Amino acid sequence: MAVTIRDVARMAGVSVATVTRALSTPEVVRPTTRERVREVASSLGYHPNRAARGLITGRTGNIGLLVPDLANPFFPSIVKGVQARALEADHAVFLADTDEDPDAEAGLVRKLAKQVDGLVLCSPRMAEQELRAVAREVPMVLVYRRIAGVPSVTAEFLDGMRQALSHLVALGHRRIAYVAGPRSSWANRERVRSLRTVAKQAGVELVELGSVTPQFQGGVSVADRVLAAAVTAVIAYNDLVALGLLHRFAARGVAVPDDISVLGFDDIPLAAMVHPALTTVALPQGQAGQAGVDLLLDLLNKRDRAVRRELPTQLMVRGSTGSAR
Amino acid sequence: MAVTIRDVARMAGVSVATVTRALSTPEVVRPTTRERVREVASSLGYHPNRAARGLITGRTGNIGLLVPDLANPFFPSIVKGVQARALEADHAVFLADTDEDPDAEAGLVRKLAKQVDGLVLCSPRMAEQELRAVAREVPMVLVYRRIAGVPSVTAEFLDGMRQALSHLVALGHRRIAYVAGPRSSWANRERVRSLRTVAKQAGVELVELGSVTPQFQGGVSVADRVLAAAVTAVIAYNDLVALGLLHRFAARGVAVPDDISVLGFDDIPLAAMVHPALTTVALPQGQAGQAGVDLLLDLLNKRDRAVRRELPTQLMVRGSTGSAR
DNA sequence: CACCTGCTTGAAACGGATTTCACACTGGCT
DNA sequence: AGCCAGTGTGAAATCCGTTTCAAGCAGGTG
C-alpha cells in the first residue's frame, strides 16, 4: 500500500535505522549516505506514518482547540490564527465546539486530551477548579481567560476600557450605561472591574445593567432598559450585544449616535458592516490564536512554564458614537 | 504511565486477545468473561491507545474538514454541524482553513489526507480535475459543490431561487438585478443558471452585474452600479454582498425596501441582525455539515459509493424586500 | 604493535493494540 | 466409542517507526 521506511531502506541499500536517522537526526549520518537516503525517500514519496511515530515517541503532532461557540463571530478569527500558526509548526488542529456548555466542555477536554500533545482553550466556561485539574493532566494554554499557574493569552482590557471611556468623555458624555454579560464569565468580571476603575478616575457616572446573554438577543432584550436609564452613551459587553442594541434602537426610531452613542467590545467583522458602523474596542483575535499556539509549543518543549501574555487593544472609532446631546 | 491492554489482561486473568475482543467484538466472548474484563477495564480507566489501534487497523477515527474561510459567516455553522455529528460517531475533526487559496487548498488536502479516514470539503475552490484526482486517493465528500462520481451534499438552488423570484414578482418587481459572485465559483454558476431559468419562466427582466468578490466589500463596490441599472430589486450572490449593498445604500440615503428591495442568499446569522433585516434564501448549514459526515461514514463503511443529497432551501422574508415603487 | 577513541551503521527491541491461527473443550450424532 | 462441529481462549505475528546496544572500522597515541 503506502511506502514504508523498509521500502526506502531496501532501495537505498541501508538499514531502517539509517533511514530514520537520515531524516530525523541528519547530523549523525555520513553526508554521502544521508543524501542517497534522502533522494530515495523523496523519489518514493515517503512520509513517516504518524501513528507509528506517535506510538514510540508519545507525541502526536496534533493540538486540540476548544471554543465555546463557533457561531459567535469572535471565535472564527481566533481559530484561524491557531490554525495558521499550527500549520507553520507542522501541527494539525483538532477543533471542538462546546456549544457554551461547561459540562460538555469538561467531557470534550478530556476526550481530546488523549489525542493531542496539548490544548488551547478559548474562553473556557469551566469552573476554575476543574480547569486547574485538567491543566495538571495535559499541557494547556488559555486564551481570553487567566488562571494562576496556567499559561494564558489575554488582552489589555484596562487600557482598552480607558481608550473607550476617554473617547466618550471627550465627546461630552458624563452618564454612561454598561450592559453586563454573564456573571459567571471571566471576561465580564474583567470588563466590569476595568470600567469601574476608569469611570471613577474620569468622574463618569456609571449605570450597570444586565446581565444578559452575550448575544444579539441579549442586546435586543435590554435596549429599552438602556433608554429608560437616561444615559447618553452605552457600552455593551460585546459587539453582538451592541448590535442587538442598535437593532432595537433602530426599530424604536432612536437615532444613533444623535440620541445615544453605542460602543462595543471585540471588533467582530460585522461591527464594520452595519450602519451606522459600530465603534468598538478591538481585541486581538488571530494574533491571540497565534500567541496561544506559540505558548503551547514552548510549553511542550519544556521551556517556559506559566507565561502570561497580554496583547494590546485598540479603540476603533466608527459611526455609532458621537457628541452627547 | 497510561494503563495498557496488558494491565487489564493481567488484572482480569486473561490474555490481551480476550481483552480486545471483550471490548470491540463482545459477542464472541463468553458473557461471564466479558463482564469481568469490562469491569476491570473501566475500573482501571482503560482506553485503547488510538495510535496503536490506528497502526494495525489503518483507521484513525479522525475526519478532516476543509473550509475556504472560517471568517465567512456561512461556514462556522457548517463546521458546527460536522463537528457535532462526528462527535456522535466518536470521530474527531481536523480543521483546515485554506484562506480562499486554491493552491493552499490542494496542499492541505493532501497533508490532511494522510492523517484521517476521510475528508469533508466545504465549497472547495480547487479545479474539478484536481479534486477528482484527490477523490481517488482518499474517501471524500463534497459540501456545496457537485462533481460526477463524488458523493456530495448541496441544496435545491433552483427551488430557492424560484421562491425568491416569486416573492419579488408578487411584490410587483419586473426588472431585477443579479450581482454575480466569482466566475470560477461553482455556487455562482449554479445560481446564475437557476436564476435565468426562473426569470425566463416568470417573464422578469434580468440585469446581471459583477462579478464581485463574495464579500462585504464586493457589495459595497457594486452598489452604485446597481442603482444606475434602474431596477426595483436586486438579488445578491450571497448575504455578505447583500450587506455590502445595504451599507452603501444607507450611506447614499437610498431607502430599503422603499426605493429598492434587496435579497440575499445563505442566511448567515447576521442577516437577521441588521436593520432592515435581510430577506434571504436560507441554505441549510448545520444540517449540510451533518449530512456530509453521514455520507462520509457511509462511504468509509463501503456502503454507498456516489450518493448525492440535495437539501431543501427556504426563503426567509424579512424587512429588506417590499413592494416595487 | 597494542590499545583507545570516535564515527557510522545495522540488528533487534520496543511501543500498544488487533488479528490470525491453532488448540482445548463441550455437546451431539452415528 | 469415535468423530465432527462449534465455541472460547491464548500465543504469536503484525502494523511502522524510533531508539538502544553493539560492532566494524579508521585514525591517533604511547
Side-chain angles (χ1 to χ4, degrees):
Chain A
M1 200 84 251
V3 29
T4 77
I5 198 173
R6 271 160 248 269
D7 300 327
V8 178
R10 199 175 321 117
M11 284 226 53
V14 298
S15 73
V16 296
T18 300
V19 175
T20 187
R21 281 190 283 249
L23 298 174
S24 6
T25 48
E27 66 278 8
V28 304
V29 354
R30 192 181 352 146
T32 63
T33 322
R34 184 204 308 155
E35 286 319 309
R36 183 157 39 95
V37 170
R38 298 196 134 193
E39 271 166 34
V40 171
S42 79
S43 80
L44 258 49
Y46 168 73
H47 291 278
N49 177 314
R50 290 214 171 214
R53 168 182 287 175
L55 193 52
I56 185 101
T57 63
R59 301 244 328 224
T60 60
N62 302 331
I63 70 179
L65 173 60
L66 228 86
V67 295
D69 180 13
L70 207 56
N72 178 335
F74 181 60
F75 294 111
S77 322
I78 300 184
V79 173
K80 289 193 74 156
V82 166
Q83 156 74 39
R85 192 70 191 78
L87 196 68
E88 286 174 21
D90 204 30
H91 280 241
V93 176
F94 273 126
L95 179 74
D97 181 307
T98 65
D99 261 323
E100 295 278 0
D101 177 347
D103 296 334
E105 191 173 283
L108 274 172
V109 165
R110 286 167 203 283
K111 194 159 199 169
L112 267 191
K114 291 187 304 262
Q115 307 188 52
V116 301
D117 297 336
L119 292 171
V120 173
L121 304 195
C122 261
S123 310
R125 314 304 200 202
M126 296 164 69
E128 177 164 339
Q129 193 176 11
E130 189 154 23
L131 215 38
R132 198 170 269 131
V134 178
R136 250 178 266 118
E137 296 170 25
V138 51
M140 78 184 206
V141 170
L142 302 176
V143 173
Y144 285 116
R145 180 150 177 184
R146 202 161 50 215
I147 283 186
V150 183
S152 65
V153 177
T154 56
E156 296 168 344
F157 291 119
L158 185 62
D159 183 64
M161 205 52 103
R162 182 168 288 130
Q163 294 179 52
L165 208 72
S166 308
H167 170 66
L168 291 177
V169 167
L171 289 170
H173 299 276
R174 293 294 178 269
R175 181 175 155 84
I176 294 174
Y178 173 70
V179 175
R183 292 212 191 295
S184 62
S185 148
W186 178 85
N188 184 60
R189 287 198 301 275
E190 204 68 9
R191 283 168 208 192
V192 170
R193 200 159 54 82
S194 308
L195 183 54
R196 284 184 189 153
T197 305
V198 297
K200 194 166 182 183
Q201 290 172 354
V204 160
E205 189 179 353
L206 196 59
V207 182
E208 295 188 27
L209 299 172
S211 58
V212 301
T213 167
Q215 280 144 15
F216 181 76
Q217 200 48 51
V220 172
S221 66
V222 80
D224 296 316
R225 271 187 286 155
V226 171
L227 293 180
V231 295
T232 60
V234 52
I235 298 179
Y237 166 70
N238 69 11
D239 286 347
L240 283 179
V241 171
L243 291 178
L245 292 175
L246 288 182
H247 188 85
R248 177 68 185 157
F249 289 166
R252 283 196 53 188
V254 175
V256 174
D258 294 341
D259 296 333
I260 188 170
S261 288
V262 177
L263 205 146
F265 229 94
D266 285 354
D267 194 28
I268 59 180
L270 291 64
M273 297 184 191
V274 294
H275 196 89
L278 185 64
T279 295
T280 190
V281 177
L283 302 185
Q285 297 164 39
Q287 203 191 341
Q290 297 193 4
V293 174
D294 286 338
L295 256 54
L296 183 58
L297 294 177
D298 284 355
L299 189 65
L300 292 176
N301 296 329
K302 295 268 179 294
R303 286 208 282 274
D304 316 293
R305 309 200 104 254
V307 191
R308 147 183 320 187
R309 195 171 301 175
E310 281 208 343
L311 303 174
T313 56
Q314 191 183 359
L315 180 69
M316 310 298 287
V317 176
R318 301 205 182 94
S320 69
T321 48
S323 303
R325 244 180 334 179
Chain B
M1 200 84 250
V3 29
T4 77
I5 198 171
R6 269 159 255 271
D7 301 327
V8 178
R10 200 176 319 118
M11 287 227 51
V14 296
S15 72
V16 295
T18 300
V19 175
T20 187
R21 281 191 282 250
L23 298 174
S24 5
T25 46
E27 67 278 8
V28 305
V29 349
R30 190 172 3 139
T32 63
T33 322
R34 182 205 310 158
E35 286 318 309
R36 183 157 40 93
V37 171
R38 298 196 132 193
E39 272 165 33
V40 171
S42 79
S43 79
L44 258 48
Y46 168 73
H47 292 278
N49 178 313
R50 290 215 173 214
R53 167 181 288 175
L55 194 52
I56 183 102
T57 62
R59 300 242 332 220
T60 60
N62 301 331
I63 70 181
L65 174 60
L66 227 86
V67 297
D69 181 12
L70 207 55
N72 178 336
F74 181 60
F75 295 111
S77 320
I78 299 185
V79 173
K80 290 193 74 156
V82 166
Q83 156 73 39
R85 191 69 193 77
L87 196 68
E88 287 174 19
D90 202 31
H91 280 241
V93 176
F94 274 125
L95 181 73
D97 181 307
T98 65
D99 261 324
E100 296 279 1
D101 177 347
D103 296 334
E105 192 173 281
L108 275 173
V109 164
R110 287 165 203 284
K111 195 160 198 168
L112 267 191
K114 291 187 302 261
Q115 307 187 50
V116 301
D117 296 337
L119 292 170
V120 174
L121 305 194
C122 262
S123 310
R125 313 305 200 201
M126 296 164 68
E128 177 164 338
Q129 193 175 10
E130 189 154 23
L131 214 39
R132 196 170 272 133
V134 178
R136 251 178 265 120
E137 295 169 25
V138 52
M140 78 183 208
V141 170
L142 301 176
V143 174
Y144 285 117
R145 179 149 179 187
R146 203 161 49 214
I147 282 186
V150 183
S152 64
V153 177
T154 56
E156 297 167 345
F157 291 119
L158 184 63
D159 183 63
M161 204 54 100
R162 182 167 287 131
Q163 292 179 53
L165 207 72
S166 308
H167 169 66
L168 291 178
V169 167
L171 288 170
H173 299 276
R174 293 295 177 269
R175 182 175 155 85
I176 295 174
Y178 173 71
V179 174
R183 292 213 191 294
S184 63
S185 148
W186 179 84
N188 183 59
R189 287 197 302 274
E190 204 68 9
R191 283 168 208 190
V192 169
R193 202 159 53 83
S194 307
L195 183 53
R196 284 183 188 156
T197 305
V198 297
K200 192 166 181 182
Q201 290 172 354
V204 161
E205 189 180 353
L206 195 60
V207 181
E208 295 187 28
L209 299 172
S211 61
V212 301
T213 168
Q215 279 145 16
F216 182 75
Q217 200 47 52
V220 172
S221 66
V222 79
D224 296 316
R225 270 187 287 156
V226 170
L227 293 180
V231 296
T232 59
V234 52
I235 299 180
Y237 167 69
N238 69 9
D239 286 349
L240 284 178
V241 171
L243 291 178
L245 293 175
L246 288 182
H247 187 85
R248 178 66 186 159
F249 289 165
R252 284 196 54 187
V254 175
V256 173
D258 294 340
D259 296 332
I260 188 170
S261 289
V262 177
L263 206 145
F265 229 93
D266 285 354
D267 196 26
I268 60 179
L270 289 66
M273 297 183 190
V274 293
H275 196 89
L278 185 65
T279 295
T280 189
V281 176
L283 302 185
Q285 297 165 39
Q287 201 191 341
Q290 297 193 6
V293 175
D294 285 339
L295 255 52
L296 183 59
L297 294 178
D298 283 355
L299 189 65
L300 291 176
N301 295 329
K302 295 269 181 293
R303 286 207 281 275
D304 316 294
R305 309 201 105 252
V307 190
R308 149 182 320 186
R309 196 172 299 176
E310 281 208 344
L311 303 173
T313 56
Q314 191 181 2
L315 180 69
M316 311 297 289
V317 176
R318 302 207 181 94
S320 68
T321 47
S323 303
R325 244 182 331 178

